[in-house]
């Protein structure tokens, strides 16, 4: 597309990427994000090919006094990647990953997906903690924490973030590390997309794989909570080496025995953060807790484990509403509540899960990252997933009510801000989730984005 001749227009010949405006071929495809419920129309989409394009797009938005949304993977359930009437900076063409094997550092462009990172790092037998779905963007997942399979031994994604290149609200490119702009690096470790456009991430890498042990025994909800309670007690002893979640779903398809089709089940999914043979022996008791519906356990390639959940939620095909809260502990009553909520799900595509913490995740001090307090033992998430717009209210109400019902077991009112529903809880939830770190985040926000240009996120308001 050729830009207009008006002085207020970013010219196509000024950038290497692509400028898309309403009515132009490709605009509707570019504004579509992973959650099919999100239908927003930016004034302009700038599909950037490099950092210079990002700088030009930010300066253009500021000149026109337009707000900015940032798309990396477009996977955020609240649709923060796209905005109405603003400038959407699309990083999806910027996906390169380079690996410094000697220093065990991965340098990752801001639009990369986790599958890009995993394939590049696993070529050298290395990895850094990512998410559970490989087409999630590195940027969105990381900036609000990043909870993945390797958290037991290597912590959250943010705990491995050692540097970043950021285009700030005034169009400056700055490098954040422990040595320079350390306040910004601290804020990026959990503070979301509040501070600028991260065009490059630098992550520490660890020897992982290529083979890991993945355990996934599946039990019937109708057989009761006994295996979940045993799993909880098992993880209390092994939270330093096992990243796990108990996921409730509905059995269906040829992977399950026909007699269980359409019935609620739960999977005790675990990845051993170490040698696969050691993991196979250690996790074996979880496969002996009763009569299994089926068992998907086995040693497998790390990249394959990272992609196991992809098929559950293909991009753009489902309407979604997700909520999650941290739990101080996982009591019998909370387990019973999770089972009750799972049975009540109006959609067979919906999931709900109990996630363990501890280990390396818990070892990080509250003030070391903006993410905050690590003393929560568990997390509970409800992922409403459905297809028919007529069922929006029923599914949102289910997830919302389930989340509200778990608050009595919650951890200081804190929530995982990557699963924010549609962002309707706003400032109160954001403040509660950051706790004692909130005021320091306000100071960093005021320094780097005083006019709140970057507000399509779990927004931190700068000082007036």
């Amino acid at each position: 597309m050729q830009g207009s001749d008006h002085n207020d227009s970013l010219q196509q010949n000024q950038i290497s990427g692509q400028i898309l405006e309403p009515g132009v071929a490709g605009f509707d495809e570019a504004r579509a994000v992973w959650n099919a419920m999100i239908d927003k129309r930016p004034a302009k989409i700038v599909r950037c090919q490099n950092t210079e394009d990002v700088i030009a797009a930010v300066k253009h938005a500021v000149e026109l006094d337009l707000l900015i949304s940032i798309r990396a993977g477009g996977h955020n359930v609240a649709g923060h990647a796209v905005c109405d009437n603003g400038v959407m900076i699309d990083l999806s063409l910027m996906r390169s990953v380079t690996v410094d094997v000697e220093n065990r550092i991965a340098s990752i462009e801001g639009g990369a997906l986790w599958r890009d990172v995993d394939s590049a790092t696993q070529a050298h037998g290395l990895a850094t903690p990512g998410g559970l779905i490989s087409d999630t963007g590195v940027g969105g997942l990381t900036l609000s924490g990043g909870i993945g399979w390797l958290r037991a031994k290597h912590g959250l994604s943010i705990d491995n973030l050692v540097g970043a290149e950021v285009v700030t609200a005034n169009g400056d490119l700055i490098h954040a590390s422990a040595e320079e702009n350390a306040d910004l690096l601290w804020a990026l470790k959990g503070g979301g997309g509040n501070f600028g456009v991260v065009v490059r991430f630098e992550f520490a890498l660890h020897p992982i794989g290529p083979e890991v042990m993945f355990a996934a025994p599946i039990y019937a909800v109708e057989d009761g909570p006994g295996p979940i309670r045993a799993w909880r007690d098992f993880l209390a002893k092994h939270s330093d080496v096992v990243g796990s979640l108990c996921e409730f779903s509905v059995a269906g398809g040829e992977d399950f025995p026909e007699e269980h089709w359409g019935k609620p089940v739960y999977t005790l999914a675990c990845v051993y953060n170490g040698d696969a043979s050691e993991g196979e022996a250690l996790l074996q008791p979880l496969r002996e807790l009763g009569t299994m519906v089926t068992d998907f356990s086995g040693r497998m390639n790390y990249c394959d484990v990272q992609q196991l959940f992809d098929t559950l939620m293909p991009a753009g095909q489902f309407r979604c509403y997700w909520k999650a809260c941290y739990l101080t502990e996982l009591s019998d009553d909370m387990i019973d509540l999770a089972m009750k909520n799972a049975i009540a799900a109006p959609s067979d595509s919906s999931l709900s899960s109990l996630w363990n913490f501890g280990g390396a995740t818990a070892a990080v001090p509250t003030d070391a990252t903006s993410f905050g307090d690590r003393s929560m033992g568990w997390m509970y998430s409800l992922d409403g997933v459905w297809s028919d717009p007529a069922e929006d209210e029923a599914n949102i109400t289910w997830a919302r009510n389930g989340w509200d019902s778990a608050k009595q077991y919650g951890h200081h009112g804190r929530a995982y801000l990557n699963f924010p529903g549609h962002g309707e809880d706003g400032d109160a939830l954001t403040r509660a989730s950051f706790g004692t770190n909130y005021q320091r985040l306000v100071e960093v926000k005021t320094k780097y984005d005083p006019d709140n240009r970057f507000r399509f996120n779990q927004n931190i308001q700068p000082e007036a």
Side-chain angles (χ1 to χ4, degrees), residues 242-302:
V242 180
S244 185
L245 60 105
C246 170
E247 182 168 87
F248 297 93
S249 61
V250 173
E254 55 193 36
D255 290 337
F256 290 87
E258 191 171 352
E259 65 267 26
H260 290 283
W261 288 1
K263 294 182 179 180
V265 296
Y266 54 84
T267 305
L268 304 180
C270 306
V271 172
Y272 181 74
N273 293 188
D275 177 77
S277 59
E278 288 178 7
E280 187 170 21
L282 183 82
L283 297 175
Q284 181 61 30
L286 298 178
R287 305 163 69 185
E288 300 169 351
L289 299 176
T291 302
M292 288 187 289
V293 171
T294 189
D295 186 7
F296 295 143
S297 303
R299 298 194 209 179
M300 61 182 71
N301 183 280
Y302 175 76

Side-chain angles (χ1 to χ4, degrees), residues 7 10 17 74 225 227 232 277 311 314 319 329 347 349:
N7 291 331
L10 181 65
R232 170 198 61 196
S277 59
T311 56
R319 304 173 75 78
E329 59 182 6
S347 167
S349 298

Side-chain angles (χ1 to χ4, degrees), residues 407-456:
K407 285 182 180 177
Q408 60 186 309
Y409 307 109
H411 186 69
H412 309 308
R414 300 179 67 227
Y416 182 40
L417 297 179
N418 267 332
F419 297 169
H422 290 164
E424 68 278 13
D425 292 292
D427 188 57
L429 183 63
T430 302
R431 286 174 179 268
S433 298
F434 289 118
T436 57
N437 284 342
Y438 184 79
Q439 187 53 43
R440 186 174 167 192
L441 277 165
V442 170
E443 293 167 8
V444 180
K445 174 74 169 181
T446 304
K447 178 178 176 181
Y448 291 100
D449 183 20
D451 296 320
N452 205 14
R453 296 281 174 194
F454 302 107
R455 68 177 65 170
F456 298 105

Side-chain angles (χ1 to χ4, degrees), residues 308-328:
L308 281 172
F309 286 30
D310 289 6
T311 56
L312 295 175
M313 301 188 184
Q317 294 190 24
F318 287 110
R319 304 173 75 78
C320 300
Y321 180 93
W322 300 356
K323 295 292 286 185
C325 62
Y326 300 122
L327 308 172
T328 300

Side-chain angles (χ1 to χ4, degrees), residues 386-410:
W386 67 100
S387 299
D388 187 350
E391 298 172 0
D392 286 359
E393 184 178 356
N395 285 278
I396 290 173
T397 298
W398 167 75
R400 186 89 205 169
N401 288 348
W403 185 72
D404 284 338
S405 69
K407 285 182 180 177
Q408 60 186 309
Y409 307 109

Side-chain angles (χ1 to χ4, degrees), residues 185-202:
L185 182 65
W186 176 88
L188 295 175
K189 293 184 175 188
N194 271 287
F195 311 99
V197 186
V198 183
V199 293
R200 186 168 299 279
F201 295 87
E202 296 157 12

